[in-house]
Amino acid sequence: MIAADQLYKSGPGYVRSITCYSDATATAGTITLRDNTAAGAGNILWEQDILAIAYTPGMIREDLQTPFSIGLYLDFTTTADVKCMVRFR
């Protein structure tokens, strides 16, 4: 489970899904999964606004099943107390 910006893969691939949860009250912000190798740029594959509430485990689950070409980057913006797991190949 990742709680901060993370480059998962450079180059092409396929993202299967993302699951995010919090065990505390989250800090409001945005989580974005990008087709890129850096934060703030590239095509958005998935994006979720996080509210300042307590999420239960597995609260956010998305079955994405989509290709990416440049890379796979998980971009957290002002969010705290949220962790995500990305499944890809």
Side-chain angles (χ1 to χ4, degrees):
M1 300 302 283
I2 302 297
D5 288 6
Q6 174 76 36
L7 173 62
Y8 282 99
K9 183 178 190 311
S10 293
Y14 189 83
V15 61
R16 296 182 184 275
S17 64
I18 185 168
T19 302
C20 300
Y21 79 94
S22 177
D23 58 1
T25 300
T27 302
T30 303
I31 300 172
T32 308
L33 195 57
R34 297 180 178 275
D35 184 357
N36 202 1
T37 57
N43 292 331
I44 294 173
L45 302 171
W46 175 86
E47 187 171 65
Q48 178 70 48
D49 289 330
I50 302 298
L51 304 175
I53 60 172
Y55 285 95
T56 57
M59 182 64 175
I60 300 169
R61 284 188 190 166
E62 294 289 333
D63 185 29
L64 301 172
Q65 305 299 329
T66 191
F68 56 89
S69 57
I70 298 169
L72 185 61
Y73 193 90
L74 187 60
D75 188 3
F76 288 81
T77 304
T78 69
T79 302
D81 296 319
V82 178
K83 296 177 183 172
C84 295
M85 180 170 51
V86 176
R87 292 173 187 85
F88 67 97
R89 60 177 168 90

